[in-house]
Amino acid sequence: MKVLKFGGTSVGKPDRMHSIARLIAGKDRKLVVLSAVSGTTNALVAIAAALTEGDHGKGSQLIEALFAPYHEFVNLLYTTAEAKQKGEAIVNTHCDYIKSYVGKPFGEKETKELLAEGELISTALFQEYLLEINYQSVLLPALEFMKIDDDNEPVHEYIEQMLTAEIAKYPEAQYFITQGFIAKNTKGEIDNLKRGGSDYTASLVGAAIRAEEIQIWTDIDGMHNNDPRIVKKTFPIAALTFDEAAELAYFGAKILHPSTILPAKKYRIPVRLLNTMQPEAKGTVIADQTSDKDIKAIAAKDGITAIKIKSSRMLLAYGFLRRVFEIFEKYKTPIDMITTSEVAVSVTIDDAKNLTAILEELKSFCTVEVDANQSIVCIVGDFLEDKPGLVNKIFEALKNIPIRMISYGGSKNNVSLLIHTQHKNEALNALNEGVF
Ligand code: ASP
Ligand code: MG
């Protein structure tokens, strides 16, 4: 079975839903994961915020505004009067349900319940459409099999057991439709996999049923070799390994939720990134094997703070790094890049919330220097030790850019550089010219 996930814009209009139905047509069985209609989750976040603040008037207004376009949606999605009526009933049921929160105490639990509505609506409408056009389709409620633990991590065994059992109930069905993003937590409450989490759902269910392939359908033609907003001549990367894709997803290639790679990698299930607007385009395939290209992609992440930690006591001493790291651990602040010399260590963080407290503690045994507004530029590819000249290509391209930190050799898949954000556009363009 294949898993196909369609994002918010891919289900965002009635004719897009019609295209999805055409795309999934074919003999083999499929599990289809859908996001909420684009804009709906954002609207639900705003409604939840208004209700949390106790502004129920604003909450009601936002609910009306969210649902107004859904009636036209239903009218255009279906052809028969009977299906239109069923679609209306779906919209009204969810609208009434959301309205039932107005005027009552509202907090975090209720927020998560509201956020789940987007995917519940989009899947119900789509399932009804498939039935109208006579597809053998079953709607599988994700809340019956998607579960996260107290650390917000998916409970893989549970998902596998429950989902396999659900699917086994319908030997005749050819299409299974389910919600991305939503899950239940250990308290049995409605919860979710964080914004953008539908990709993660697709990969989790793909792993659970050992799918032959996981397809992520969006509105761009795959993962690009550089940031198309900054660099003119970018192109889709044909193939990436799981490790390369994981580096890129973390460093801000927004197309894929960063956690998506892991479950697929575990069972070596290829993940294909495809474009609903251009279904014949090859897109990007993420799989186990490497293609022969050396440098595959460049990504950058802004909002980085660099901290230089210096102490003469570091010279020939052991335990110094442990003391440093313990402070970051205490303030639950992840370190991204790190470089060391004999008397100093530089680290970067992207969450500067606890920076003042961290610096205070560091100052008790070192001197510190802080640089804000930094960007990590990450060059991803196959940097095996026995391939000379690759790193040279990178630095040749960047010869006019001041570089604050260099990290190489941590994995064979990346070279990371830290530069001031003001040089980022120039660096990305120079690298594009120089390394591809
Ligand atoms: N609907 C959710 C969001 O907008 C999940 C997703 O689309 O992946 O974040
Ligand atoms: Mg997304």
Side-chain angles (χ1 to χ4, degrees):
M1 190 147 38
K2 284 183 181 163
V3 173
L4 287 79
K5 178 260 173 177
F6 294 90
T9 43
S10 303
V11 295
K13 297 219 170 74
D15 60 337
R16 310 302 312 277
M17 283 201 179
H18 297 159
S19 323
I20 298 182
R22 286 193 296 273
L23 272 173
I24 65 174
K27 288 197 297 293
D28 44 342
R29 300 177 96 197
K30 297 183 182 85
L31 174 52
V32 177
V33 177
L34 300 185
S35 284
V37 166
S38 54
T40 295
T41 309
N42 285 344
L44 291 167
V45 169
I47 294 166
L51 297 181
T52 303
E53 281 166 23
D55 193 343
H56 294 278
K58 185 172 167 199
S60 299
Q61 260 172 21
L62 291 172
I63 296 170
E64 294 297 337
L66 167 62
F67 280 96
Y70 270 104
H71 300 286
E72 182 64 1
F73 196 109
V74 161
N75 190 33
L76 294 173
L77 179 61
Y78 308 106
T79 317
T80 66
E82 194 196 341
K84 286 183 199 226
Q85 215 171 19
K86 285 188 180 152
E88 267 298 305
I90 291 169
V91 170
N92 290 333
T93 307
H94 286 276
C95 184
D96 290 345
Y97 173 71
I98 294 177
K99 281 181 179 161
S100 75
Y101 284 88
V102 177
K104 295 187 190 141
F106 197 92
E108 222 168 284
K109 175 172 167 286
E110 290 76 17
T111 296
K112 287 174 172 172
E113 289 166 8
L114 273 205
L115 286 194
E117 287 294 294
E119 272 71 11
L120 291 170
I121 299 170
S122 65
T123 48
L125 292 175
F126 186 63
Q127 163 68 3
E128 204 48 57
Y129 174 62
L130 292 185
L131 295 181
E132 184 185 32
I133 58 173
N134 292 318
Y135 278 44
Q136 297 280 338
S137 158
V138 174
L139 182 58
L140 296 182
L143 297 176
E144 300 280 315
F145 57 85
M146 290 302 291
K147 190 166 173 178
I148 52 173
D149 63 19
D150 293 333
D151 297 319
N152 294 317
E153 294 296 333
V155 188
H156 298 282
E157 310 74 49
Y158 181 92
I159 296 172
E160 188 173 324
Q161 237 174 38
M162 299 302 278
L163 178 56
T164 326
E166 278 296 311
I167 288 175
K169 286 187 200 157
Y170 308 96
E172 304 290 309
Q174 199 190 340
Y175 303 97
F176 295 97
I177 313 300
T178 194
Q179 299 85 18
F181 179 57
I182 63 176
K184 281 208 170 151
N185 60 29
T186 43
K187 285 182 253 165
E189 297 165 351
I190 295 179
D191 213 312
N192 61 63
L193 303 175
K194 308 258 158 62
R195 294 304 305 272
S198 294
D199 295 342
Y200 196 19
T201 301
S203 147
L204 289 168
V205 299
I209 63 167
R210 313 289 191 268
E212 77 196 71
E213 182 172 294
I214 298 162
Q215 300 181 352
I216 308 283
W217 289 83
T218 63
D219 52 357
I220 33 177
D221 53 354
M223 218 184 250
H224 274 233
N225 70 314
N226 206 327
D227 189 334
R229 290 163 306 182
I230 297 170
V231 175
K232 275 209 192 84
K233 280 184 240 147
T234 66
F235 51 84
I237 312 162
L240 284 170
T241 63
F242 288 116
D243 292 334
E244 290 167 342
E247 303 268 12
L248 275 179
Y250 173 72
F251 279 100
K254 294 250 161 25
I255 178 166
L256 203 61
H257 186 286
S259 311
T260 307
I261 307 297
L262 290 176
K265 181 181 159 146
K266 181 162 181 207
Y267 298 105
R268 303 174 168 200
I269 302 169
V271 178
R272 212 175 273 281
L273 309 179
L274 294 158
N275 184 356
T276 26
M277 309 294 260
Q278 224 184 312
E280 60 302 330
K282 282 214 187 68
T284 300
V285 61
I286 303 166
D288 228 9
Q289 80 286 353
T290 2
S291 71
D292 48 18
K293 269 235 169 142
D294 297 330
I295 296 181
K296 295 196 180 145
I298 294 159
K301 188 167 177 147
D302 297 339
I304 306 292
T305 305
I307 308 162
K308 187 186 286 166
I309 302 151
K310 215 172 156 183
S311 165
S312 50
R313 269 188 278 161
M314 188 177 167
L315 189 68
L316 302 175
Y318 49 81
F320 178 79
L321 287 177
R322 181 183 48 77
R323 276 185 85 183
V324 169
F325 288 151
E326 271 171 0
I327 295 173
F328 287 87
E329 186 181 350
K330 177 172 167 195
Y331 291 98
K332 295 193 162 75
T333 300
I335 293 173
D336 295 321
M337 256 177 97
I338 161 162
T339 54
T340 67
S341 80
E342 197 48 56
V343 291
V345 51
S346 271
V347 301
T348 70
I349 57 173
D350 64 17
D351 173 5
K353 204 169 59 230
N354 294 315
L355 183 60
T356 322
I358 290 171
L359 294 180
E360 222 30 69
E361 297 210 18
L362 286 170
K363 278 179 195 158
S364 70
F365 63 104
C366 336
T367 55
V368 291
E369 270 171 53
V370 177
D371 294 308
N373 301 321
Q374 305 286 307
S375 295
I376 296 178
V377 174
C378 160
I379 299 125
V380 166
D382 194 4
F383 297 96
L384 284 176
E385 307 83 355
D386 58 0
K387 282 192 195 163
L390 283 183
V391 173
N392 184 48
K393 254 193 191 171
I394 294 170
F395 289 107
E396 181 58 30
L398 294 175
K399 61 175 182 271
N400 295 321
I401 313 259
I403 296 172
R404 167 75 171 77
M405 281 167 70
I406 298 169
S407 170
Y408 172 61
S411 86
K412 73 175 183 68
N413 294 119
N414 114 343
V415 176
S416 291
L417 307 165
L418 189 74
I419 59 174
H420 195 285
T421 303
Q422 77 187 52
H423 300 302
K424 184 185 73 173
N425 290 4
E426 194 189 340
L428 293 185
N429 277 291
L431 284 168
N432 215 57
E433 287 284 304
V435 306
F436 294 116

